[in-house]
Structures are given as structure tokens and as C-alpha cells.
Amino acid sequence: MSLRIFYHPLYSALALPERHRFPLAKYKALFEHLGSLGYPLAEATPASRKQIESVHDAAYVEAALVGTLDASAIRQLGFPWSPLLIERTLRSVGATIAASSHALEQGCGLQISGGYHHAHRDVGSGFCLFNDLVVAAQTCLDEGRCEQVLIVDLDVHQGDGSATLCRGRRDIITLSLHGEHNFPRHKPASHMDFALPSGMEDDAYLTTLAEALNLALRLYTPDLILYQAGVDVHHGDELGYLSLSDEGIRQRDAMVFDCAHRHGLPIAAVPGGGYRRDWQQLIPLHMSLFEEANKHYG
């Protein structure tokens, strides 16, 4: 088994309005930090239009790619449209596909961006234009490389886009632990939802996660796990209502990788959300994901 982490310089190249909440600079900082520590880094090819349209409505994809989304759709997305946004998005979705492919071959793949779980079939939302998790799962299924994918979404915000895209399916299973009072206001049903009370701390969270993972693997037989590892569950996050510590996030990540490793399941992981004006504080929290992956698969 060997670990690989995918990245592209465009992750941090997008021009955003002053004081925009999305911490764009963290991706370059993560890349540089991982590189300084000798982690195996690689670039991936962008996702193809065919891969995107395997999940998303063709008319929506066309409007997104050519820049004809209306003003309300742009507001809901939360990013101004630009050709660079499209190239960055396709690169990021492509990297999640590449991480998933590498996981199926070598046990574990990661990328430095990703986790765009608020993107629905025909609309973007919450900084998510295309749903990289579901596109990656669908691509692996279409290529005949797996038969059932489990998306483990531990971002503080429910993966509403993933839930709607996978509603009624048996080949892509969605598991979400999230703050019950957080965005999105309307939370469509995932296959398994665990709505957590505001202020939940490490012990209760980790107990719930262990129960959720055990239940998922009793009910389903995935042959690939996609892990959304948002750090906005941290007590210091400015857009999250949970109260995990630094060590709680590390134990969470370790639990997911340990579960995959014990069951012999390939796992691809993305860092997901984390929101601080002082974005540098996010780097050690996100590093937990890569360090714990390296312990299990490096």
C-alpha cells in the first residue's frame, strides 16, 4: 500500500471579494507544509464534462461552465463566477476522482481540496458548484471498479447535496454526522443521519461516530469509503456549533482510518470545511487528516 495526495496550484488562486469567508489561502499553505515534510504529492487531470454530467443536470452544467448562471444562483453558490472558478472546480473534482482511484489501487488516496457536499443536481450552494464526492463515487462505479460506495461526511454542515443526489440509491450510501442547528436550514434525509446538539464535545461525539460506523457496516457492504473530514466541528470554528478539541479531531480521523483499515476497505479522503478569519489556525487541524492517513497507509 502507498499513500498519495493530490493538489493543484489553482486551489488558492481564485480572486474573491475582500473579507470573503472562504479561507482560500489554506490550500497553498497545506501543500507547502506537506511538501516540506516529504509527503507524496501529485497533480490530477481535471474532471471531464461527461463525469460531471453523470451526476449533475446537463443544462446546469452548461450554464456553470459558460457563465450564464443567474444572479440568484450565484448568490446561493457564494462565489463570483469566473473562468478560473470553473478551472479550479474541475481540477478539484478531478483530484477527488484521482484520490478515489488511487485508494482502490493502493488502499488510500487524499487530496488537499474537496468535500463540496452542498452541490445538488441542478444548483450549487454553500461554496459548492459540483459535488466532487458523488461524481468520484459515480465515476468509480461507472468504471466497474466498485459496487457500493459509502460517503462518510463528518463536516459540521450536513451534506444536503449528497443526500439529494443519492436519494433512493443503493450503490452510493450517505452517512452524515452534523450539527442539527447549523446550515443548511433544510436537511434532506441521508441514508443515515446523526443530528448532533450544539456544544457536543469529544467523548459524546466519538461514541456516536463509533456507533454510526458500526451501524453502516452492518447495514451495507461498501467496497470504497469516501471521507469528508471537515474541521468546522472544532470548538473555535466561526461557522460551526460543535465543540471538539484538537485531540478530538485527531481521534475522529484516526477512528475512520482505523475502521477502513480493519475492514480492508479502500478509503479516499478530503479535508472539507473549516472557517476562521485567522485561517492559519486551520492548518494543524487539517494536518491531522494527512498524519493519521500516513500512520495507517504511509
Side-chain angles (χ1 to χ4, degrees):
M1 294 188 294
S2 66
L3 186 68
R4 187 171 296 172
I5 303 168
F6 294 91
Y7 170 76
H8 195 275
L10 285 178
Y11 289 174
S12 288
L14 195 63
L16 294 177
E18 187 177 357
R19 297 187 64 78
H20 194 281
R21 293 309 305 265
F22 197 76
L24 201 69
K26 73 178 183 180
Y27 301 111
K28 181 179 179 181
L30 271 171
F31 170 74
E32 292 175 346
H33 188 59
L34 288 163
S36 72
L37 296 173
Y39 278 78
L41 298 162
E43 290 187 10
T45 58
S48 70
R49 182 167 182 156
K50 181 180 179 181
Q51 288 170 327
I52 300 294
E53 289 182 350
S54 71
V55 166
H56 291 284
D57 175 75
Y60 168 65
V61 174
E62 170 70 12
L65 294 180
V66 303
T68 58
L69 294 171
D70 63 31
S72 64
I74 294 295
R75 284 195 299 272
Q76 187 170 351
L77 174 63
F79 282 145
W81 188 92
S82 68
L84 186 58
L85 171 65
I86 299 306
E87 187 174 358
R88 180 190 186 275
T89 300
L90 294 178
R91 287 284 183 181
S92 186
V93 177
T96 302
I97 295 171
S100 302
S101 178
H102 187 78
L104 287 164
E105 295 169 0
Q106 298 290 336
C108 182
L110 302 98
Q111 80 128 322
I112 294 176
S113 179
Y116 300 121
H117 58 172
H118 298 310
H120 298 260
R121 178 169 174 76
D122 59 0
V123 66
S125 177
F127 312 137
C128 304
L129 185 65
F130 300 137
N131 194 309
D132 63 311
L133 297 165
V134 181
V135 171
Q138 186 65 56
T139 299
C140 292
L141 291 165
D142 288 344
E143 293 175 350
R145 307 186 67 185
C146 57
E147 295 182 356
Q148 189 179 74
V149 182
L150 172 63
I151 297 176
V152 176
D153 193 331
L154 303 187
D155 196 275
V156 78
H157 305 106
Q158 193 223 25
D160 56 329
S162 301
T164 59
L165 285 167
C166 300
R167 181 184 291 130
R169 298 185 63 160
R170 299 291 295 181
D171 53 356
I172 306 178
I173 306 303
T174 52
L175 164 62
S176 179
L177 272 69
H178 53 266
E180 69 176 321
H181 299 299
N182 215 317
F183 178 88
R185 182 176 181 182
H186 172 63
K187 298 176 176 61
S190 309
H191 290 84
M192 292 171 286
D193 280 305
F194 292 80
L196 309 177
S198 298
M200 178 177 273
E201 298 180 347
D202 293 355
D203 288 348
Y205 183 95
L206 294 169
T207 298
T208 304
L209 175 57
E211 293 171 352
L213 292 172
N214 288 335
L215 178 62
L217 295 181
R218 287 201 305 271
L219 294 177
Y220 304 102
T221 55
D223 38 19
L224 173 65
I225 292 175
L226 301 186
Y227 174 32
Q228 211 276 28
V231 300
D232 40 15
V233 295
H234 190 265
H235 66 80
D237 196 84
E238 294 166 7
L239 298 183
Y241 299 158
L242 301 183
S243 296
L244 270 67
S245 68
D246 294 30
E247 181 59 23
I249 287 176
R250 180 171 296 278
Q251 290 183 38
R252 176 200 69 170
D253 293 340
M255 183 180 293
V256 176
F257 285 120
D258 184 61
C259 176
H261 197 266
R262 282 188 292 106
H263 289 88
L265 295 173
I267 181 169
V270 299
Y275 301 93
R276 306 275 189 97
R277 294 292 185 191
D278 183 8
W279 59 264
Q280 291 92 339
Q281 295 180 22
L282 298 171
I283 303 305
L285 299 178
H286 282 308
M287 278 301 300
S288 163
L289 178 70
F290 302 100
E291 291 164 357
E292 292 301 323
N294 192 49
K295 289 178 184 178
H296 286 83
Y297 298 93

